[in-house]
Amino acid sequence: MFVFTLVVLFVFFILYKLLLIVPMREVNVIERLGKFRVVLQPGFHFLIPFFDRVAYRHDTREQVLDVPPQSCISKDNTQLEVDGLVYLKVMDGKLASYGIEDYRRAAVNLAQTTMRSEIGKLSLSQTFSERDSLNESIVREIDKASDPWGIKVLRYEIKNITPSYKVIHTLEKQMEAERSKRAEITLANAEKAAMINLSEGERQEAINISEGQKQKRINEAKGTAQEIAIVAKAKAEAMTLVSQALALDGGNEAMNMQLKEQFIVQVGKILSEAEISVVPAELAKLEGFFEGMEQVTHNVGQVKGGRS
Protein backbone atom coordinates (compact mmCIF):
# COMPACT_ATOMS: atom_id res chain seq x y z
CA MET A 1 0.00 0.00 0.00
CA PHE A 2 2.78 2.35 0.75
CA VAL A 3 4.41 1.71 -2.61
CA PHE A 4 1.02 2.03 -4.31
CA THR A 5 0.42 5.27 -2.59
CA LEU A 6 3.80 6.57 -3.71
CA VAL A 7 3.07 5.53 -7.28
CA VAL A 8 -0.32 7.27 -7.25
CA LEU A 9 1.19 10.46 -5.82
CA PHE A 10 3.97 10.31 -8.44
CA VAL A 11 1.38 9.92 -11.21
CA PHE A 12 -0.59 12.88 -9.94
CA PHE A 13 2.61 14.92 -9.72
CA ILE A 14 3.50 14.01 -13.30
CA LEU A 15 0.01 14.97 -14.45
CA TYR A 16 0.28 18.26 -12.56
CA LYS A 17 3.54 19.02 -14.31
CA LEU A 18 2.23 17.78 -17.63
CA LEU A 19 -1.03 19.70 -17.79
CA LEU A 20 -1.28 23.54 -17.60
CA ILE A 21 -4.39 25.68 -17.66
CA VAL A 22 -3.75 29.40 -18.35
CA PRO A 23 -6.57 31.70 -17.13
CA MET A 24 -8.19 34.19 -19.46
CA ARG A 25 -6.55 37.18 -17.80
CA GLU A 26 -2.96 35.88 -17.97
CA VAL A 27 -0.10 34.85 -20.24
CA ASN A 28 2.56 32.40 -19.06
CA VAL A 29 6.19 32.42 -20.10
CA ILE A 30 7.58 28.87 -20.41
CA GLU A 31 11.26 28.01 -20.09
CA ARG A 32 12.79 24.68 -21.09
CA LEU A 33 15.97 23.81 -19.23
CA GLY A 34 16.35 27.47 -18.25
CA LYS A 35 15.89 28.82 -21.81
CA PHE A 36 12.88 30.70 -23.13
CA ARG A 37 10.59 28.40 -25.06
CA VAL A 38 7.17 30.01 -25.63
CA VAL A 39 4.53 32.39 -24.29
CA LEU A 40 1.36 30.46 -23.61
CA GLN A 41 -1.96 32.22 -24.17
CA PRO A 42 -5.10 31.46 -22.12
CA GLY A 43 -6.26 27.85 -22.51
CA PHE A 44 -5.21 24.20 -21.95
CA HIS A 45 -1.58 23.25 -22.63
CA PHE A 46 0.80 20.25 -22.22
CA LEU A 47 4.28 20.55 -20.77
CA ILE A 48 7.20 18.15 -20.55
CA PRO A 49 7.66 17.41 -16.87
CA PHE A 50 11.03 18.29 -15.32
CA PHE A 51 12.06 20.03 -18.60
CA ASP A 52 9.42 22.77 -18.98
CA ARG A 53 8.43 25.19 -16.25
CA VAL A 54 6.36 28.36 -15.89
CA ALA A 55 8.99 31.07 -15.40
CA TYR A 56 6.72 34.17 -15.39
CA ARG A 57 3.04 34.92 -15.16
CA HIS A 58 1.79 38.30 -16.42
CA ASP A 59 -1.61 39.89 -15.97
CA THR A 60 -2.88 41.12 -19.35
CA ARG A 61 -5.51 43.41 -17.87
CA GLU A 62 -4.97 47.17 -17.54
CA GLN A 63 -3.02 47.86 -14.37
CA VAL A 64 -3.04 50.95 -12.18
CA LEU A 65 0.17 51.94 -10.43
CA ASP A 66 0.26 54.61 -7.74
CA VAL A 67 3.10 57.11 -8.16
CA PRO A 68 4.19 58.29 -4.69
CA PRO A 69 4.33 62.05 -3.95
CA GLN A 70 7.59 63.69 -4.93
CA SER A 71 9.09 67.14 -4.73
CA CYS A 72 9.34 69.12 -7.98
CA ILE A 73 10.60 72.60 -8.88
CA SER A 74 8.60 74.62 -11.41
CA LYS A 75 9.99 77.00 -13.99
CA ASP A 76 9.53 79.98 -11.65
CA ASN A 77 11.45 78.19 -8.83
CA THR A 78 8.37 77.16 -6.86
CA GLN A 79 8.54 73.95 -4.85
CA LEU A 80 5.64 71.57 -5.48
CA GLU A 81 4.67 68.13 -4.27
CA VAL A 82 3.07 66.06 -7.05
CA ASP A 83 1.63 62.54 -7.13
CA GLY A 84 -0.27 60.63 -9.78
CA LEU A 85 -1.46 57.38 -11.30
CA VAL A 86 -0.02 55.37 -14.20
CA TYR A 87 -2.26 53.11 -16.29
CA LEU A 88 -0.41 50.45 -18.29
CA LYS A 89 -0.92 47.08 -19.94
CA VAL A 90 1.40 44.15 -20.78
CA MET A 91 1.54 43.77 -24.56
CA ASP A 92 4.45 41.29 -24.92
CA GLY A 93 5.01 38.67 -22.20
CA LYS A 94 8.53 37.81 -23.38
CA LEU A 95 9.78 41.44 -23.29
CA ALA A 96 8.01 42.06 -19.98
CA SER A 97 9.89 39.04 -18.55
CA TYR A 98 13.34 39.55 -20.03
CA GLY A 99 13.40 43.20 -21.13
CA ILE A 100 13.26 44.64 -17.61
CA GLU A 101 13.64 43.22 -14.12
CA ASP A 102 10.41 44.76 -12.73
CA TYR A 103 8.37 46.74 -15.21
CA ARG A 104 6.02 48.04 -12.50
CA ARG A 105 8.77 49.61 -10.42
CA ALA A 106 10.49 50.83 -13.55
CA ALA A 107 7.30 52.47 -14.83
CA VAL A 108 6.74 54.23 -11.49
CA ASN A 109 10.32 55.53 -11.35
CA LEU A 110 10.17 56.64 -14.98
CA ALA A 111 6.89 58.46 -14.30
CA GLN A 112 8.49 60.30 -11.37
CA THR A 113 11.54 61.44 -13.34
CA THR A 114 9.44 62.42 -16.36
CA MET A 115 7.05 64.32 -14.12
CA ARG A 116 9.87 66.31 -12.55
CA SER A 117 11.23 67.13 -16.00
CA GLU A 118 7.85 68.27 -17.36
CA ILE A 119 6.99 70.29 -14.23
CA GLY A 120 10.31 72.12 -14.60
CA LYS A 121 9.17 73.41 -18.01
CA LEU A 122 6.02 75.06 -16.62
CA SER A 123 5.32 77.93 -14.25
CA LEU A 124 3.20 77.48 -11.12
CA SER A 125 0.02 78.77 -12.74
CA GLN A 126 0.54 76.61 -15.83
CA THR A 127 0.84 73.42 -13.76
CA PHE A 128 -2.75 73.98 -12.59
CA SER A 129 -4.25 75.24 -15.84
CA GLU A 130 -2.49 72.83 -18.24
CA ARG A 131 -2.96 69.48 -16.54
CA ASP A 132 -4.23 67.78 -19.69
CA SER A 133 -1.23 68.77 -21.78
CA LEU A 134 1.06 67.85 -18.86
CA ASN A 135 -0.52 64.37 -18.63
CA GLU A 136 -0.17 63.86 -22.38
CA SER A 137 3.50 64.86 -22.30
CA ILE A 138 4.25 62.44 -19.46
CA VAL A 139 2.41 59.57 -21.21
CA ARG A 140 4.27 60.23 -24.45
CA GLU A 141 7.68 60.22 -22.76
CA ILE A 142 7.00 57.14 -20.60
CA ASP A 143 5.53 55.17 -23.50
CA LYS A 144 8.52 55.97 -25.66
CA ALA A 145 10.97 54.75 -23.00
CA SER A 146 8.92 51.68 -22.01
CA ASP A 147 8.48 50.27 -25.51
CA PRO A 148 11.42 47.77 -25.11
CA TRP A 149 9.76 46.45 -21.93
CA GLY A 150 6.75 45.04 -23.77
CA ILE A 151 4.26 47.28 -21.96
CA LYS A 152 1.95 50.02 -23.20
CA VAL A 153 1.40 53.14 -21.07
CA LEU A 154 -2.22 54.08 -21.69
CA ARG A 155 -2.52 57.28 -19.66
CA TYR A 156 -1.19 59.22 -16.71
CA GLU A 157 -3.28 61.24 -14.30
CA ILE A 158 -2.02 63.81 -11.78
CA LYS A 159 -3.88 63.37 -8.49
CA ASN A 160 -2.60 66.30 -6.47
CA ILE A 161 -0.36 69.32 -6.93
CA THR A 162 0.45 70.74 -3.53
CA PRO A 163 2.67 73.82 -3.16
CA SER A 164 4.71 74.27 0.00
CA TYR A 165 3.24 76.15 2.98
CA LYS A 166 5.28 79.26 2.23
CA VAL A 167 4.07 79.29 -1.37
CA ILE A 168 0.45 78.87 -0.26
CA HIS A 169 0.87 81.74 2.23
CA THR A 170 2.41 83.92 -0.49
CA LEU A 171 -0.41 83.04 -2.91
CA GLU A 172 -3.00 83.94 -0.29
CA LYS A 173 -1.37 87.34 0.20
CA GLN A 174 -1.20 87.80 -3.55
CA MET A 175 -4.88 86.96 -3.96
CA GLU A 176 -5.79 89.33 -1.13
CA ALA A 177 -3.78 92.10 -2.78
CA GLU A 178 -5.42 91.30 -6.11
CA ARG A 179 -8.90 91.50 -4.54
CA SER A 180 -8.01 94.84 -2.92
CA LYS A 181 -6.72 96.09 -6.26
CA ARG A 182 -9.93 95.06 -8.04
CA ALA A 183 -12.00 96.74 -5.31
CA GLU A 184 -10.04 100.00 -5.67
CA ILE A 185 -10.37 99.85 -9.45
CA THR A 186 -14.12 99.29 -9.12
CA LEU A 187 -14.49 102.25 -6.75
CA ALA A 188 -12.36 104.45 -9.03
CA ASN A 189 -14.48 103.47 -12.04
CA ALA A 190 -17.65 104.23 -10.06
CA GLU A 191 -16.35 107.67 -9.04
CA LYS A 192 -15.28 108.32 -12.62
CA ALA A 193 -18.71 107.35 -13.94
CA ALA A 194 -20.38 109.56 -11.30
CA MET A 195 -18.22 112.56 -12.26
CA ILE A 196 -18.92 111.96 -15.95
CA ASN A 197 -22.66 111.77 -15.30
CA LEU A 198 -22.52 114.93 -13.16
CA SER A 199 -20.58 116.85 -15.80
CA GLU A 200 -22.96 115.62 -18.49
CA GLY A 201 -25.88 116.83 -16.38
CA GLU A 202 -24.28 120.24 -15.86
CA ARG A 203 -23.45 120.45 -19.55
CA GLN A 204 -27.01 119.58 -20.51
CA GLU A 205 -28.31 122.10 -17.98
CA ALA A 206 -26.09 124.85 -19.45
CA ILE A 207 -27.25 123.90 -22.96
CA ASN A 208 -30.89 124.04 -21.91
CA ILE A 209 -30.39 127.44 -20.21
CA SER A 210 -28.58 128.87 -23.25
CA GLU A 211 -31.28 127.49 -25.55
CA GLY A 212 -33.93 129.11 -23.35
CA GLN A 213 -32.11 132.47 -23.34
CA LYS A 214 -31.63 132.23 -27.09
CA GLN A 215 -35.33 131.55 -27.62
CA LYS A 216 -36.17 134.38 -25.20
CA ARG A 217 -34.02 136.86 -27.16
CA ILE A 218 -35.55 135.64 -30.42
CA ASN A 219 -39.03 136.11 -29.04
CA GLU A 220 -38.14 139.57 -27.67
CA ALA A 221 -36.61 140.55 -31.00
CA LYS A 222 -39.69 139.34 -32.83
CA GLY A 223 -41.89 141.28 -30.38
CA THR A 224 -39.79 144.44 -30.79
CA ALA A 225 -39.88 144.08 -34.57
CA GLN A 226 -43.65 143.65 -34.51
CA GLU A 227 -43.96 146.63 -32.15
CA ILE A 228 -41.82 148.82 -34.43
CA ALA A 229 -43.81 147.69 -37.44
CA ILE A 230 -47.11 148.46 -35.71
CA VAL A 231 -45.86 151.88 -34.51
CA ALA A 232 -44.49 152.72 -37.93
CA LYS A 233 -47.72 151.67 -39.53
CA ALA A 234 -49.67 153.76 -37.05
CA LYS A 235 -47.44 156.77 -37.66
CA ALA A 236 -47.81 156.35 -41.39
CA GLU A 237 -51.58 156.18 -41.07
CA ALA A 238 -51.48 159.21 -38.74
CA MET A 239 -49.41 161.21 -41.23
CA THR A 240 -51.83 160.23 -43.95
CA LEU A 241 -54.76 161.42 -41.90
CA VAL A 242 -52.91 164.67 -40.99
CA SER A 243 -52.11 165.38 -44.62
CA GLN A 244 -55.72 164.72 -45.55
CA ALA A 245 -56.90 167.02 -42.75
CA LEU A 246 -54.54 169.83 -43.84
CA ALA A 247 -55.96 169.64 -47.33
CA LEU A 248 -59.41 170.52 -45.96
CA ASP A 249 -60.68 174.05 -45.21
CA GLY A 250 -59.50 175.23 -41.80
CA GLY A 251 -56.96 172.43 -41.57
CA ASN A 252 -54.00 174.79 -41.18
CA GLU A 253 -55.69 176.72 -38.36
CA ALA A 254 -56.43 173.48 -36.53
CA MET A 255 -52.82 172.35 -36.97
CA ASN A 256 -51.53 175.66 -35.59
CA MET A 257 -53.82 175.40 -32.61
CA GLN A 258 -52.67 171.83 -31.94
CA LEU A 259 -48.99 172.76 -32.11
CA LYS A 260 -49.50 175.69 -29.77
CA GLU A 261 -51.24 173.51 -27.23
CA GLN A 262 -48.49 170.90 -27.38
CA PHE A 263 -45.82 173.56 -27.02
CA ILE A 264 -47.50 175.05 -23.98
CA VAL A 265 -47.89 171.56 -22.41
CA GLN A 266 -44.23 170.65 -23.01
CA VAL A 267 -42.96 173.98 -21.65
CA GLY A 268 -45.10 173.45 -18.58
CA LYS A 269 -43.57 170.02 -18.02
CA ILE A 270 -40.05 171.35 -18.38
CA LEU A 271 -40.72 174.17 -15.92
CA SER A 272 -42.29 171.78 -13.39
CA GLU A 273 -39.56 169.13 -13.58
CA ALA A 274 -36.42 171.28 -13.96
CA GLU A 275 -34.52 172.36 -10.82
CA ILE A 276 -33.74 175.70 -12.46
CA SER A 277 -36.62 177.68 -13.90
CA VAL A 278 -36.19 178.54 -17.52
CA VAL A 279 -38.18 181.52 -18.78
CA PRO A 280 -37.81 182.97 -22.30
CA ALA A 281 -35.95 186.29 -22.23
CA GLU A 282 -38.54 188.02 -24.39
CA LEU A 283 -42.02 186.73 -23.83
CA ALA A 284 -43.13 189.13 -26.56
CA LYS A 285 -41.39 186.95 -29.10
CA LEU A 286 -43.75 184.02 -28.35
CA GLU A 287 -46.28 185.49 -30.69
CA GLY A 288 -43.71 185.72 -33.46
CA PHE A 289 -42.71 182.15 -32.74
CA PHE A 290 -46.27 180.91 -33.11
CA GLU A 291 -46.71 182.94 -36.30
CA GLY A 292 -43.55 181.34 -37.70
CA MET A 293 -44.82 177.90 -36.82
CA GLU A 294 -48.10 178.77 -38.50
CA GLN A 295 -46.26 179.80 -41.67
CA VAL A 296 -44.27 176.52 -41.65
CA THR A 297 -47.41 174.51 -41.21
CA HIS A 298 -49.08 176.41 -44.02
CA ASN A 299 -46.15 175.76 -46.35
CA VAL A 300 -46.17 172.04 -45.45
CA GLY A 301 -49.86 171.88 -46.25
CA GLN A 302 -49.39 173.54 -49.62
CA VAL A 303 -46.61 171.19 -50.56
CA LYS A 304 -48.65 168.15 -49.63
CA GLY A 305 -51.68 169.59 -51.46
CA GLY A 306 -49.62 170.11 -54.58
CA ARG A 307 -48.32 166.53 -54.42
CA SER A 308 -51.80 165.17 -54.09
Side-chain angles (χ1 to χ4, degrees):
M1 291 296 295
F2 178 73
V3 175
F4 179 75
T5 302
L6 289 178
V7 172
V8 172
L9 291 176
F10 181 73
V11 171
F12 275 107
F13 180 75
I14 294 300
L15 292 176
Y16 176 76
K17 292 293 185 179
L18 178 66
L19 304 177
L20 177 64
I21 298 176
V22 180
M24 187 63 191
R25 57 183 175 81
E26 288 186 1
V27 293
N28 291 354
V29 178
I30 305 301
E31 290 182 354
R32 176 171 292 177
L33 299 177
K35 186 178 180 181
F36 170 76
R37 177 177 172 269
V38 68
V39 177
L40 298 181
Q41 301 297 325
F44 183 78
H45 302 277
F46 292 95
L47 300 178
I48 300 176
F50 306 107
F51 288 92
D52 295 339
R53 73 182 184 90
V54 179
Y56 301 97
R57 287 183 172 88
H58 297 293
D59 195 335
T60 57
R61 295 174 297 180
E62 185 175 346
Q63 303 178 45
V64 182
L65 304 179
D66 189 10
V67 181
Q70 59 179 326
S71 180
C72 303
I73 304 297
S74 64
K75 186 178 180 181
D76 51 0
N77 296 324
T78 302
Q79 185 175 357
L80 304 171
E81 194 172 85
V82 186
D83 61 344
L85 298 172
V86 176
Y87 296 81
L88 54 82
K89 185 177 182 180
V90 175
M91 306 301 294
D92 190 330
K94 180 181 178 181
L95 292 178
S97 301
Y98 303 105
I100 189 72
E101 179 183 1
D102 187 350
Y103 66 85
R104 294 182 181 87
R105 183 162 59 89
V108 170
N109 292 333
L110 183 59
Q112 288 180 324
T113 57
T114 305
M115 185 192 303
R116 282 195 294 267
S117 176
E118 293 298 325
I119 290 291
K121 298 177 183 178
L122 302 175
S123 62
L124 177 61
S125 59
Q126 289 176 326
T127 57
F128 291 99
S129 62
E130 299 183 10
R131 282 197 176 192
D132 293 338
S133 61
L134 181 61
N135 292 336
E136 292 175 2
S137 300
I138 294 175
V139 169
R140 185 170 54 252
E141 295 299 325
I142 297 176
D143 189 53
K144 189 186 303 181
S146 63
D147 186 62
W149 304 343
I151 64 173
K152 175 68 175 177
V153 178
L154 302 177
R155 60 187 180 275
Y156 178 87
E157 296 292 338
I158 295 177
K159 289 199 301 183
N160 297 305
I161 299 177
T162 308
S164 63
Y165 174 76
K166 292 183 178 179
V167 174
I168 294 176
H169 187 62
T170 302
L171 290 176
E172 289 177 352
K173 287 186 175 180
Q174 182 178 356
M175 289 302 298
E176 184 178 355
E178 187 67 25
R179 285 192 293 268
S180 300
K181 176 184 176 182
R182 288 198 295 266
E184 292 178 357
I185 292 174
T186 303
L187 291 175
N189 290 334
E191 292 179 358
K192 177 182 177 182
M195 293 179 65
I196 291 174
N197 293 334
L198 182 61
S199 62
E200 286 291 335
E202 293 177 350
R203 175 174 173 269
Q204 191 62 39
E205 181 183 4
I207 292 174
N208 293 338
I209 292 175
S210 64
E211 289 292 335
Q213 293 177 350
K214 174 183 175 182
Q215 191 63 39
K216 178 182 177 182
R217 289 193 295 269
I218 292 174
N219 294 337
E220 290 178 351
K222 289 182 178 179
T224 303
Q226 292 177 358
E227 180 182 0
I228 294 173
I230 293 172
V231 172
K233 182 178 180 181
K235 288 182 177 181
E237 292 176 353
M239 292 296 292
T240 302
L241 294 175
V242 169
S243 62
Q244 292 176 358
L246 290 175
L248 299 175
D249 294 337
N252 292 331
E253 290 78 3
M255 176 60 72
N256 290 331
M257 182 60 68
Q258 184 68 26
L259 290 175
K260 291 176 182 179
E261 290 179 357
Q262 290 182 357
F263 178 78
I264 294 171
V265 171
Q266 293 299 325
V267 171
K269 288 183 179 180
I270 293 173
L271 294 177
S272 62
E273 294 177 359
E275 295 181 357
I276 301 173
S277 300
V278 179
V279 179
E282 298 177 359
L283 293 177
K285 294 183 179 180
L286 287 176
E287 184 179 359
F289 172 75
F290 289 126
E291 292 177 356
M293 292 296 295
E294 182 180 357
Q295 185 64 34
V296 171
T297 303
H298 178 71
N299 293 334
V300 171
Q302 288 181 353
V303 171
K304 289 183 179 181
R307 289 179 180 178
S308 61

